[in-house]
Amino acid sequence: MNTVDSLLTKPFLGMTPEAKLRVKALGPEEPGIHIEQSAKDRGKGYTRSWTRTGVTDLKHLAEKIKRHDSSESHLTNVLKLSLFGKSNIALQLNEAYRKGVIKHNEEVDKNCYILSKLIDCVKFCGAFELALRGHNETEESLNPSVFRGLVDFVSRIDSAMEAHLKSATVFKGTSKTIQNELLDCMREVTRETTVQQLRSTDYLAIQADDITDISTKTQSVLVFLHIDGNSKLVERFYCFSYLKDSSADTISAAILNELNLILPERSGKEKLIAQSYDGASVMRGAPGGVKKQI
């Protein structure tokens, strides 16, 4: 299996590792070569048998062999052959990489678990309409926020959460920035789910109202109602939209902007069969009120 004809039929690179090791153990083929070539050198004739392809000039064969021995490709192949079957650095690196991936995935799973507990605490506050933050959220505070209190309570009954709070140096998850980011992410997931439900339902209705928050900024509140797959009425809060004023034109523009994003196709717009509003600003003028414009 180490002959030239055999290697031409089944190349070395296509063999199994075991077959490669056997070829390496056998070493190169050393066939008996009878050389005859008719030529003249300095007026003297001689006969040597050689080949019609490859090196046909035996006079410069030694020089070409030395040049080949020092070539980059030959040295690389000799090194690969000598290392073949010994401790494989590539395999060792692959094993280290594999262990690194396993460790990374374990860290990701742990972080996902901690994040799920933090999200549960945020959801609890939302379900009972409790404020997440308090006036003093320091470690020494005797009356921290509800969110911090929930996180501390979870850490007492969950060893993974307790270990995280004690060892975390980069991400602990209790800061107001993380709370806001969690709320934003949860809002986006909820809105995406709501949009899919609204696009798949046959009919829907909207409720809207304008309110003023504690910073005296006017906001529009948009709520959707639709029938789900079980023929049950579902009510979904969708968004707050800041308004420059409380006029019918401004409120209508805000509502239409959201409707066009949710139901971009004409067939989708035909699903809207009912609308309900509150407040004097939306009722001004039968031709120009919010109801008429929508």
Side-chain angles (χ1 to χ4, degrees), residues 227-234:
I227 304 297
D228 66 8
N230 298 320
S231 299
K232 293 183 179 180
L233 181 65
V234 178

Side-chain angles (χ1 to χ4, degrees), residues 232-246:
K232 293 183 179 180
L233 181 65
V234 178
E235 184 178 13
R236 288 281 184 264
F237 164 78
Y238 186 71
C239 70
F240 288 111
S241 298
Y242 280 108
L243 307 174
K244 63 180 180 180
D245 55 55
S246 58

Side-chain angles (χ1 to χ4, degrees), residues 32-39 45-52 55-58:
I33 299 178
H34 180 65
I35 298 176
E36 291 184 359
Q37 182 183 35
S38 299
Y46 54 86
T47 301
R48 294 175 181 169
S49 175
W50 192 236
T51 177
R52 294 181 180 179
V55 179
T56 58
D57 182 9
L58 291 179

Side-chain angles (χ1 to χ4, degrees), residues 192-207:
E192 289 177 4
T193 303
T194 301
V195 169
Q196 294 301 321
Q197 293 174 347
L198 295 176
R199 289 176 178 175
S200 62
T201 190
D202 293 328
Y203 304 105
L204 59 90
I206 58 172
Q207 295 178 343

Side-chain angles (χ1 to χ4, degrees), residues 114-139:
I114 297 299
L115 196 59
S116 69
K117 296 304 177 184
L118 295 173
I119 292 174
D120 287 341
C121 293
V122 174
K123 290 167 65 178
F124 180 91
C125 294
F128 293 93
E129 300 183 1
L130 302 173
L132 270 73
R133 296 197 289 271
H135 296 291
N136 185 0
E137 297 187 4
T138 61
E139 297 290 342

Side-chain angles (χ1 to χ4, degrees), residues 90-149:
L91 291 177
Q92 293 179 6
L93 292 176
N94 287 340
E95 180 66 16
Y97 174 76
R98 187 183 67 84
K99 291 180 179 179
V101 170
I102 293 175
K103 183 178 180 180
H104 171 75
N105 290 338
E106 290 175 351
E107 289 293 325
V108 171
D109 291 340
K110 183 182 73 173
N111 290 337
C112 287
Y113 177 80
I114 297 299
L115 196 59
S116 69
K117 296 304 177 184
L118 295 173
I119 292 174
D120 287 341
C121 293
V122 174
K123 290 167 65 178
F124 180 91
C125 294
F128 293 93
E129 300 183 1
L130 302 173
L132 270 73
R133 296 197 289 271
H135 296 291
N136 185 0
E137 297 187 4
T138 61
E139 297 290 342
E140 297 78 16
S141 175
L142 298 177
N143 187 24
S145 63
V146 176
F147 178 78
R148 279 295 303 273

